[in-house]
Amino acid sequence: MNSVIVRALLVRGMLAGLAAGLLAFGLAYLIGESGVNAGIAYEDAHTHEHGMELVSRAAQSTVGLATGVLVFGTAVGGIAALAFCFSLGRIGQFGARGTAALLAAGAFVTVYLVPFLKYPANPPGSTDPDTIGKRTTLYFGMIALAVLIALGAVILGRRLAGRFGNWNATVAAVVAFIAVIAVALAFLPAVNETPKDFPATVLWQFRLAALGIQALLWASFGVIFGFLAERVLRPHAARSAQVAAAPGMPTAA
């Protein structure tokens, strides 16, 4: 894959991430802000320290939220596009859309779902502000570990494919991934800071909303980027086919 195509796919990946971010922002604004507001209300009711608010809550829930989600979507879209360039043709006989869908699903599982199972999202007021550094380190460490385990599972699947077939190799790789992840989840330190009187409904709804927002972002990215990538690669594939067939074409007498 030449640099021109890689550059075109990178740009389209960032655009697809931006579009997916817009959809995720809409869902976050609709279903996520209620949990944030409830957490802030709980926090205000249980603390006597009220610092000066540098940014209004209205700005945080609109401009601030949109900026964060769109920047995140654009950034991961570009990274995913580069991973797509590397993965195309190496993880099976899938076209652009199939590869994009598998890549988006894998990214959602490894980058968000697996870390979420150990360190789920929490609304304001449900954690200790003094441990934010520790919790951030553990969370990003879990992401890095999940990505490494996923890469190991892919390598295992490719090595087993020639001997046991693609289907059996895929099943074995998935089982190995789940087993190693289960061990990691069991032995990594837990973070249990939620106050006993924190509303369980607020906690559950906030976590469910966070999971849904990420699922929408990655699913929409997979669909949008798969469509855009196919439009980039189709002319290139047609030109390659013409070049390959040129020596065998009949010539006029």
Side-chain angles (χ1 to χ4, degrees):
M1 189 176 294
N2 60 53
S3 60
V4 175
I5 296 177
V6 172
R7 189 181 304 112
L9 290 173
L10 174 61
V11 172
R12 282 155 181 79
M14 295 176 70
L15 291 175
L18 180 64
L22 283 171
L23 295 175
F25 163 69
L27 185 62
Y29 186 78
L30 289 175
I31 68 173
E33 283 302 303
S34 60
V36 175
N37 292 331
I40 293 175
Y42 174 89
E43 191 174 38
D44 290 341
H46 289 76
T47 183
H48 299 289
E49 298 179 2
H50 299 283
M52 183 176 63
E53 191 177 58
L54 299 178
V55 182
S56 68
R57 178 69 192 122
Q60 293 175 17
S61 63
T62 53
V63 178
L65 177 62
T67 301
V69 174
L70 294 180
V71 169
F72 175 79
T74 304
V76 298
I79 296 172
L82 295 178
F84 172 88
C85 295
F86 176 80
S87 302
L88 187 64
R90 292 185 172 92
I91 58 174
Q93 299 302 316
F94 299 100
R97 294 195 183 196
T99 302
L102 287 174
L103 183 65
F108 169 71
V109 170
T110 56
V111 176
Y112 189 79
L113 182 59
V114 169
F116 178 88
L117 295 176
K118 185 66 179 181
Y119 306 113
N122 289 312
S126 62
T127 54
D128 184 357
D130 295 333
T131 64
I132 186 171
K134 175 185 175 182
R135 288 185 280 113
T136 301
T137 301
L138 288 172
Y139 183 77
F140 282 102
M142 186 69 226
I143 292 177
L145 183 61
V147 171
L148 290 176
I149 295 173
L151 291 175
V154 171
I155 294 172
L156 176 64
R158 291 188 62 185
R159 290 187 175 181
L160 295 177
R163 184 174 180 182
F164 299 103
N166 289 332
W167 175 256
N168 293 329
T170 301
V171 172
V174 171
V175 171
F177 174 79
I178 294 174
V180 177
I181 285 294
V183 173
L185 293 177
F187 284 95
L188 284 172
V191 178
N192 297 311
E193 299 178 345
T194 304
K196 294 182 178 180
D197 62 339
F198 192 88
T201 302
V202 173
L203 187 64
W204 168 252
Q205 290 178 346
F206 181 86
R207 290 176 174 176
L208 193 62
L211 187 63
I213 292 165
Q214 286 289 329
L216 175 62
L217 186 146
W218 285 108
S220 56
F221 170 79
V223 173
I224 297 170
F225 179 67
F227 171 76
L228 296 177
E230 188 177 57
R231 290 174 62 89
V232 171
L233 295 173
R234 186 180 295 166
H236 174 72
R239 286 194 298 270
S240 299
Q242 290 175 358
V243 171
M249 292 178 61
T251 57

Short mmCIF file of all heavy atoms in Angstrom, two decimals, residues 152-207:
data_model
loop_
_atom_site.label_atom_id
_atom_site.label_comp_id
_atom_site.label_asym_id
_atom_site.label_seq_id
_atom_site.Cartn_x
_atom_site.Cartn_y
_atom_site.Cartn_z
N GLY A 152 -1.30 -10.58 21.01
CA GLY A 152 -0.83 -11.95 21.20
C GLY A 152 -1.83 -12.97 20.70
O GLY A 152 -1.46 -13.99 20.10
N ALA A 153 -3.12 -12.70 20.92
CA ALA A 153 -4.16 -13.62 20.44
C ALA A 153 -4.20 -13.65 18.92
O ALA A 153 -4.40 -14.72 18.31
CB ALA A 153 -5.52 -13.20 21.00
N VAL A 154 -4.01 -12.49 18.28
CA VAL A 154 -3.99 -12.44 16.81
C VAL A 154 -2.81 -13.24 16.26
O VAL A 154 -2.95 -14.01 15.30
CB VAL A 154 -3.93 -10.98 16.32
CG1 VAL A 154 -3.69 -10.93 14.82
CG2 VAL A 154 -5.22 -10.25 16.68
N ILE A 155 -1.65 -13.07 16.87
CA ILE A 155 -0.46 -13.82 16.43
C ILE A 155 -0.67 -15.32 16.62
O ILE A 155 -0.33 -16.13 15.74
CB ILE A 155 0.78 -13.34 17.21
CG1 ILE A 155 1.09 -11.89 16.84
CG2 ILE A 155 1.98 -14.23 16.91
CD1 ILE A 155 2.18 -11.27 17.70
N LEU A 156 -1.25 -15.69 17.74
CA LEU A 156 -1.54 -17.11 17.99
C LEU A 156 -2.50 -17.66 16.94
O LEU A 156 -2.29 -18.77 16.42
CB LEU A 156 -2.15 -17.27 19.39
CG LEU A 156 -2.61 -18.69 19.77
CD1 LEU A 156 -1.42 -19.63 19.82
CD2 LEU A 156 -3.35 -18.66 21.11
N GLY A 157 -3.55 -16.91 16.64
CA GLY A 157 -4.52 -17.36 15.64
C GLY A 157 -3.88 -17.55 14.27
O GLY A 157 -4.17 -18.53 13.57
N ARG A 158 -3.01 -16.65 13.88
CA ARG A 158 -2.36 -16.76 12.57
C ARG A 158 -1.43 -17.97 12.52
O ARG A 158 -1.33 -18.66 11.50
CB ARG A 158 -1.57 -15.50 12.28
CG ARG A 158 -2.43 -14.26 12.03
CD ARG A 158 -1.61 -13.09 11.56
NE ARG A 158 -0.96 -13.38 10.29
CZ ARG A 158 -0.09 -12.57 9.70
NH1 ARG A 158 0.24 -11.43 10.28
NH2 ARG A 158 0.45 -12.88 8.54
N ARG A 159 -0.75 -18.27 13.61
CA ARG A 159 0.16 -19.41 13.62
C ARG A 159 -0.60 -20.74 13.62
O ARG A 159 -0.11 -21.74 13.08
CB ARG A 159 1.08 -19.32 14.84
CG ARG A 159 2.09 -18.18 14.74
CD ARG A 159 3.09 -18.23 15.87
NE ARG A 159 4.12 -17.20 15.71
CZ ARG A 159 5.14 -17.02 16.54
NH1 ARG A 159 5.24 -17.79 17.62
NH2 ARG A 159 6.03 -16.08 16.31
N LEU A 160 -1.76 -20.75 14.24
CA LEU A 160 -2.54 -21.98 14.29
C LEU A 160 -3.37 -22.21 13.04
O LEU A 160 -3.82 -23.33 12.79
CB LEU A 160 -3.47 -21.96 15.51
CG LEU A 160 -2.80 -21.97 16.89
CD1 LEU A 160 -3.86 -21.89 17.98
CD2 LEU A 160 -1.94 -23.22 17.07
N ALA A 161 -3.59 -21.16 12.25
CA ALA A 161 -4.49 -21.26 11.09
C ALA A 161 -4.00 -22.28 10.07
O ALA A 161 -4.79 -23.06 9.52
CB ALA A 161 -4.65 -19.88 10.43
N GLY A 162 -2.69 -22.30 9.81
CA GLY A 162 -2.18 -23.23 8.82
C GLY A 162 -2.32 -24.68 9.22
O GLY A 162 -2.44 -25.56 8.36
N ARG A 163 -2.35 -24.94 10.50
CA ARG A 163 -2.42 -26.33 10.98
C ARG A 163 -3.83 -26.79 11.29
O ARG A 163 -4.19 -27.94 11.02
CB ARG A 163 -1.56 -26.45 12.25
CG ARG A 163 -1.47 -27.86 12.81
CD ARG A 163 -0.50 -27.92 13.97
NE ARG A 163 -0.40 -29.27 14.52
CZ ARG A 163 0.35 -29.60 15.57
NH1 ARG A 163 1.07 -28.64 16.18
NH2 ARG A 163 0.39 -30.83 16.01
N PHE A 164 -4.66 -25.89 11.84
CA PHE A 164 -5.99 -26.30 12.28
C PHE A 164 -7.12 -25.64 11.49
O PHE A 164 -8.29 -25.93 11.75
CB PHE A 164 -6.18 -25.96 13.77
CG PHE A 164 -5.20 -26.66 14.67
CD1 PHE A 164 -4.11 -25.98 15.18
CD2 PHE A 164 -5.36 -28.00 14.98
CE1 PHE A 164 -3.20 -26.62 16.01
CE2 PHE A 164 -4.46 -28.66 15.81
CZ PHE A 164 -3.38 -27.96 16.33
N GLY A 165 -6.81 -24.76 10.55
CA GLY A 165 -7.84 -24.07 9.79
C GLY A 165 -8.21 -22.75 10.44
O GLY A 165 -8.01 -22.55 11.65
N ASN A 166 -8.77 -21.84 9.65
CA ASN A 166 -9.08 -20.49 10.14
C ASN A 166 -10.10 -20.50 11.27
O ASN A 166 -9.95 -19.77 12.26
CB ASN A 166 -9.58 -19.63 8.99
CG ASN A 166 -8.49 -19.27 8.00
OD1 ASN A 166 -7.32 -19.21 8.37
ND2 ASN A 166 -8.85 -19.07 6.75
N TRP A 167 -11.16 -21.30 11.12
CA TRP A 167 -12.22 -21.30 12.13
C TRP A 167 -11.70 -21.78 13.48
O TRP A 167 -11.89 -21.12 14.50
CB TRP A 167 -13.39 -22.14 11.66
CG TRP A 167 -14.46 -22.28 12.69
CD1 TRP A 167 -14.72 -23.36 13.48
CD2 TRP A 167 -15.40 -21.27 13.09
NE1 TRP A 167 -15.76 -23.09 14.34
CE2 TRP A 167 -16.20 -21.82 14.12
CE3 TRP A 167 -15.63 -19.96 12.67
CZ2 TRP A 167 -17.23 -21.11 14.72
CZ3 TRP A 167 -16.66 -19.24 13.28
CH2 TRP A 167 -17.45 -19.83 14.29
N ASN A 168 -11.05 -22.94 13.50
CA ASN A 168 -10.54 -23.48 14.76
C ASN A 168 -9.47 -22.59 15.36
O ASN A 168 -9.41 -22.42 16.59
CB ASN A 168 -9.97 -24.89 14.52
CG ASN A 168 -11.04 -25.90 14.16
OD1 ASN A 168 -12.19 -25.78 14.59
ND2 ASN A 168 -10.68 -26.88 13.36
N ALA A 169 -8.64 -22.02 14.51
CA ALA A 169 -7.61 -21.11 15.01
C ALA A 169 -8.23 -19.86 15.63
O ALA A 169 -7.76 -19.39 16.68
CB ALA A 169 -6.67 -20.72 13.88
N THR A 170 -9.27 -19.33 15.02
CA THR A 170 -9.95 -18.15 15.57
C THR A 170 -10.57 -18.45 16.92
O THR A 170 -10.47 -17.66 17.87
CB THR A 170 -11.02 -17.65 14.59
OG1 THR A 170 -10.41 -17.32 13.34
CG2 THR A 170 -11.73 -16.42 15.14
N VAL A 171 -11.25 -19.60 17.01
CA VAL A 171 -11.87 -20.00 18.28
C VAL A 171 -10.81 -20.14 19.37
O VAL A 171 -10.98 -19.67 20.50
CB VAL A 171 -12.65 -21.31 18.11
CG1 VAL A 171 -13.13 -21.83 19.47
CG2 VAL A 171 -13.85 -21.10 17.19
N ALA A 172 -9.69 -20.79 19.03
CA ALA A 172 -8.61 -20.97 20.01
C ALA A 172 -8.04 -19.63 20.45
O ALA A 172 -7.76 -19.42 21.65
CB ALA A 172 -7.51 -21.84 19.41
N ALA A 173 -7.86 -18.70 19.52
CA ALA A 173 -7.32 -17.39 19.86
C ALA A 173 -8.28 -16.61 20.76
O ALA A 173 -7.85 -15.96 21.72
CB ALA A 173 -7.03 -16.60 18.59
N VAL A 174 -9.56 -16.69 20.47
CA VAL A 174 -10.55 -15.98 21.29
C VAL A 174 -10.60 -16.57 22.69
O VAL A 174 -10.65 -15.83 23.69
CB VAL A 174 -11.94 -16.05 20.62
CG1 VAL A 174 -13.02 -15.53 21.57
CG2 VAL A 174 -11.96 -15.25 19.33
N VAL A 175 -10.58 -17.90 22.79
CA VAL A 175 -10.60 -18.55 24.11
C VAL A 175 -9.35 -18.17 24.90
O VAL A 175 -9.42 -17.87 26.11
CB VAL A 175 -10.70 -20.08 23.95
CG1 VAL A 175 -10.48 -20.78 25.29
CG2 VAL A 175 -12.05 -20.46 23.37
N ALA A 176 -8.20 -18.15 24.24
CA ALA A 176 -6.96 -17.76 24.92
C ALA A 176 -7.03 -16.31 25.39
O ALA A 176 -6.60 -15.99 26.51
CB ALA A 176 -5.77 -17.96 23.98
N PHE A 177 -7.58 -15.43 24.55
CA PHE A 177 -7.72 -14.02 24.93
C PHE A 177 -8.61 -13.88 26.16
O PHE A 177 -8.24 -13.18 27.12
CB PHE A 177 -8.32 -13.24 23.76
CG PHE A 177 -8.65 -11.81 24.08
CD1 PHE A 177 -7.66 -10.85 24.11
CD2 PHE A 177 -9.96 -11.43 24.35
CE1 PHE A 177 -7.96 -9.52 24.40
CE2 PHE A 177 -10.27 -10.11 24.65
CZ PHE A 177 -9.27 -9.16 24.68
N ILE A 178 -9.74 -14.55 26.16
CA ILE A 178 -10.66 -14.46 27.29
C ILE A 178 -10.02 -15.01 28.56
O ILE A 178 -10.16 -14.44 29.66
CB ILE A 178 -11.98 -15.20 26.97
CG1 ILE A 178 -12.72 -14.48 25.83
CG2 ILE A 178 -12.87 -15.29 28.21
CD1 ILE A 178 -13.96 -15.21 25.36
N ALA A 179 -9.30 -16.13 28.44
CA ALA A 179 -8.68 -16.75 29.61
C ALA A 179 -7.63 -15.83 30.23
O ALA A 179 -7.59 -15.63 31.46
CB ALA A 179 -8.06 -18.09 29.21
N VAL A 180 -6.76 -15.26 29.41
CA VAL A 180 -5.71 -14.39 29.94
C VAL A 180 -6.30 -13.11 30.52
O VAL A 180 -5.87 -12.63 31.58
CB VAL A 180 -4.67 -14.08 28.84
CG1 VAL A 180 -3.61 -13.12 29.37
CG2 VAL A 180 -4.02 -15.35 28.34
N ILE A 181 -7.31 -12.57 29.85
CA ILE A 181 -7.98 -11.37 30.36
C ILE A 181 -8.64 -11.66 31.71
O ILE A 181 -8.59 -10.83 32.64
CB ILE A 181 -9.03 -10.86 29.35
CG1 ILE A 181 -8.34 -10.18 28.17
CG2 ILE A 181 -10.00 -9.89 30.01
CD1 ILE A 181 -7.59 -8.90 28.51
N ALA A 182 -9.26 -12.84 31.84
CA ALA A 182 -9.90 -13.20 33.10
C ALA A 182 -8.89 -13.25 34.24
O ALA A 182 -9.16 -12.80 35.36
CB ALA A 182 -10.62 -14.54 32.96
N VAL A 183 -7.71 -13.79 33.96
CA VAL A 183 -6.65 -13.84 34.98
C VAL A 183 -6.21 -12.42 35.35
O VAL A 183 -6.04 -12.10 36.53
CB VAL A 183 -5.45 -14.67 34.47
CG1 VAL A 183 -4.28 -14.57 35.45
CG2 VAL A 183 -5.86 -16.13 34.27
N ALA A 184 -6.05 -11.57 34.34
CA ALA A 184 -5.64 -10.19 34.60
C ALA A 184 -6.69 -9.45 35.44
O ALA A 184 -6.35 -8.72 36.38
CB ALA A 184 -5.40 -9.46 33.28
N LEU A 185 -7.95 -9.63 35.09
CA LEU A 185 -9.01 -8.96 35.84
C LEU A 185 -9.06 -9.43 37.29
O LEU A 185 -9.39 -8.67 38.20
CB LEU A 185 -10.37 -9.22 35.17
CG LEU A 185 -10.58 -8.60 33.79
CD1 LEU A 185 -11.94 -9.01 33.22
CD2 LEU A 185 -10.48 -7.09 33.85
N ALA A 186 -8.72 -10.71 37.51
CA ALA A 186 -8.78 -11.26 38.86
C ALA A 186 -7.64 -10.76 39.74
O ALA A 186 -7.82 -10.57 40.96
CB ALA A 186 -8.75 -12.79 38.80
N PHE A 187 -6.46 -10.52 39.15
CA PHE A 187 -5.29 -10.21 39.96
C PHE A 187 -4.94 -8.73 40.02
O PHE A 187 -4.20 -8.31 40.91
CB PHE A 187 -4.08 -11.00 39.44
CG PHE A 187 -4.11 -12.45 39.83
CD1 PHE A 187 -4.61 -13.41 38.98
CD2 PHE A 187 -3.65 -12.86 41.08
CE1 PHE A 187 -4.66 -14.74 39.34
CE2 PHE A 187 -3.68 -14.18 41.46
CZ PHE A 187 -4.18 -15.14 40.59
N LEU A 188 -5.44 -7.93 39.10
CA LEU A 188 -5.16 -6.49 39.17
C LEU A 188 -5.89 -5.87 40.36
O LEU A 188 -6.99 -6.31 40.73
CB LEU A 188 -5.60 -5.80 37.87
CG LEU A 188 -4.67 -6.00 36.68
CD1 LEU A 188 -5.31 -5.42 35.42
CD2 LEU A 188 -3.32 -5.33 36.93
N PRO A 189 -5.31 -4.86 40.97
CA PRO A 189 -5.96 -4.25 42.15
C PRO A 189 -7.29 -3.60 41.80
O PRO A 189 -7.44 -2.99 40.75
CB PRO A 189 -4.93 -3.21 42.61
CG PRO A 189 -4.08 -2.93 41.41
CD PRO A 189 -4.02 -4.22 40.65
N ALA A 190 -8.23 -3.76 42.70
CA ALA A 190 -9.56 -3.18 42.50
C ALA A 190 -9.62 -1.79 43.11
O ALA A 190 -8.81 -1.42 43.97
CB ALA A 190 -10.62 -4.07 43.13
N VAL A 191 -10.60 -1.01 42.66
CA VAL A 191 -10.84 0.33 43.20
C VAL A 191 -12.30 0.38 43.64
O VAL A 191 -13.21 0.41 42.82
CB VAL A 191 -10.55 1.42 42.15
CG1 VAL A 191 -10.87 2.80 42.74
CG2 VAL A 191 -9.10 1.36 41.70
N ASN A 192 -12.51 0.38 44.95
CA ASN A 192 -13.87 0.39 45.50
C ASN A 192 -14.01 1.60 46.43
O ASN A 192 -13.73 1.52 47.63
CB ASN A 192 -14.16 -0.90 46.27
CG ASN A 192 -14.10 -2.13 45.38
OD1 ASN A 192 -14.70 -2.15 44.31
ND2 ASN A 192 -13.36 -3.16 45.80
N GLU A 193 -14.40 2.72 45.86
CA GLU A 193 -14.48 3.96 46.62
C GLU A 193 -15.89 4.54 46.69
O GLU A 193 -16.10 5.56 47.33
CB GLU A 193 -13.56 5.02 45.99
CG GLU A 193 -12.10 4.64 45.97
CD GLU A 193 -11.24 5.69 45.30
OE1 GLU A 193 -11.80 6.57 44.62
OE2 GLU A 193 -10.02 5.64 45.46
N THR A 194 -16.84 3.91 46.04
CA THR A 194 -18.18 4.48 45.99
C THR A 194 -18.81 4.47 47.37
O THR A 194 -18.87 3.42 48.03
CB THR A 194 -19.07 3.68 45.03
OG1 THR A 194 -18.44 3.64 43.75
CG2 THR A 194 -20.44 4.32 44.90
N PRO A 195 -19.28 5.62 47.86
CA PRO A 195 -19.93 5.67 49.17
C PRO A 195 -21.14 4.75 49.23
O PRO A 195 -21.83 4.53 48.23
CB PRO A 195 -20.34 7.13 49.32
CG PRO A 195 -19.44 7.87 48.38
CD PRO A 195 -19.19 6.95 47.23
N LYS A 196 -21.40 4.19 50.40
CA LYS A 196 -22.50 3.24 50.55
C LYS A 196 -23.86 3.89 50.29
O LYS A 196 -24.80 3.21 49.87
CB LYS A 196 -22.48 2.63 51.96
CG LYS A 196 -21.26 1.74 52.21
CD LYS A 196 -21.32 1.13 53.60
CE LYS A 196 -20.12 0.22 53.83
NZ LYS A 196 -20.16 -0.40 55.18
N ASP A 197 -23.97 5.19 50.55
CA ASP A 197 -25.25 5.85 50.35
C ASP A 197 -25.38 6.50 48.97
O ASP A 197 -26.36 7.20 48.71
CB ASP A 197 -25.49 6.90 51.44
CG ASP A 197 -24.44 8.01 51.42
OD1 ASP A 197 -23.35 7.79 50.86
OD2 ASP A 197 -24.72 9.10 51.96
N PHE A 198 -24.39 6.27 48.09
CA PHE A 198 -24.52 6.83 46.74
C PHE A 198 -25.63 6.10 46.00
O PHE A 198 -25.69 4.86 46.04
CB PHE A 198 -23.20 6.69 45.98
CG PHE A 198 -23.16 7.48 44.70
CD1 PHE A 198 -22.74 8.79 44.69
CD2 PHE A 198 -23.58 6.92 43.50
CE1 PHE A 198 -22.69 9.54 43.52
CE2 PHE A 198 -23.55 7.65 42.32
CZ PHE A 198 -23.11 8.98 42.33
N PRO A 199 -26.53 6.82 45.31
CA PRO A 199 -27.67 6.18 44.64
C PRO A 199 -27.22 5.12 43.63
O PRO A 199 -26.52 5.43 42.66
CB PRO A 199 -28.39 7.34 43.95
CG PRO A 199 -27.95 8.56 44.70
CD PRO A 199 -26.55 8.29 45.14
N ALA A 200 -27.62 3.88 43.84
CA ALA A 200 -27.23 2.80 42.94
C ALA A 200 -27.79 2.99 41.54
O ALA A 200 -27.15 2.64 40.55
CB ALA A 200 -27.69 1.46 43.51
N THR A 201 -29.00 3.56 41.45
CA THR A 201 -29.61 3.79 40.14
C THR A 201 -28.79 4.77 39.31
O THR A 201 -28.58 4.58 38.11
CB THR A 201 -31.04 4.32 40.31
OG1 THR A 201 -31.80 3.38 41.06
CG2 THR A 201 -31.70 4.51 38.95
N VAL A 202 -28.31 5.84 39.95
CA VAL A 202 -27.48 6.83 39.25
C VAL A 202 -26.19 6.18 38.76
O VAL A 202 -25.78 6.39 37.61
CB VAL A 202 -27.16 8.01 40.18
CG1 VAL A 202 -26.15 8.95 39.53
CG2 VAL A 202 -28.43 8.77 40.53
N LEU A 203 -25.56 5.38 39.60
CA LEU A 203 -24.31 4.71 39.23
C LEU A 203 -24.53 3.78 38.04
O LEU A 203 -23.76 3.78 37.08
CB LEU A 203 -23.77 3.94 40.42
CG LEU A 203 -22.39 3.31 40.26
CD1 LEU A 203 -21.33 4.40 40.07
CD2 LEU A 203 -22.05 2.44 41.48
N TRP A 204 -25.59 2.98 38.12
CA TRP A 204 -25.88 2.01 37.05
C TRP A 204 -26.20 2.72 35.74
O TRP A 204 -25.69 2.35 34.68
CB TRP A 204 -27.01 1.11 37.48
CG TRP A 204 -27.58 0.27 36.38
CD1 TRP A 204 -28.79 0.41 35.76
CD2 TRP A 204 -26.94 -0.84 35.74
NE1 TRP A 204 -28.96 -0.54 34.79
CE2 TRP A 204 -27.84 -1.33 34.75
CE3 TRP A 204 -25.72 -1.48 35.90
CZ2 TRP A 204 -27.54 -2.41 33.93
CZ3 TRP A 204 -25.42 -2.57 35.09
CH2 TRP A 204 -26.32 -3.02 34.12
N GLN A 205 -27.05 3.73 35.80
CA GLN A 205 -27.44 4.44 34.58
C GLN A 205 -26.26 5.17 33.96
O GLN A 205 -26.12 5.22 32.73
CB GLN A 205 -28.58 5.42 34.89
CG GLN A 205 -29.90 4.73 35.21
CD GLN A 205 -30.99 5.72 35.57
OE1 GLN A 205 -30.74 6.90 35.83
NE2 GLN A 205 -32.23 5.26 35.60
N PHE A 206 -25.38 5.74 34.78
CA PHE A 206 -24.22 6.44 34.25
C PHE A 206 -23.29 5.46 33.54
O PHE A 206 -22.79 5.75 32.45
CB PHE A 206 -23.48 7.15 35.39
CG PHE A 206 -22.27 7.93 34.93
CD1 PHE A 206 -22.40 9.23 34.49
CD2 PHE A 206 -21.00 7.34 34.94
CE1 PHE A 206 -21.29 9.95 34.06
CE2 PHE A 206 -19.89 8.05 34.50
CZ PHE A 206 -20.03 9.36 34.07
N ARG A 207 -23.03 4.33 34.16
CA ARG A 207 -22.14 3.34 33.54
C ARG A 207 -22.75 2.76 32.27
O ARG A 207 -22.04 2.55 31.28
CB ARG A 207 -21.84 2.23 34.54
CG ARG A 207 -20.94 2.68 35.68
CD ARG A 207 -20.72 1.59 36.71
NE ARG A 207 -19.75 2.01 37.72
CZ ARG A 207 -19.43 1.28 38.79
NH1 ARG A 207 -20.00 0.09 38.96
NH2 ARG A 207 -18.54 1.71 39.66
#
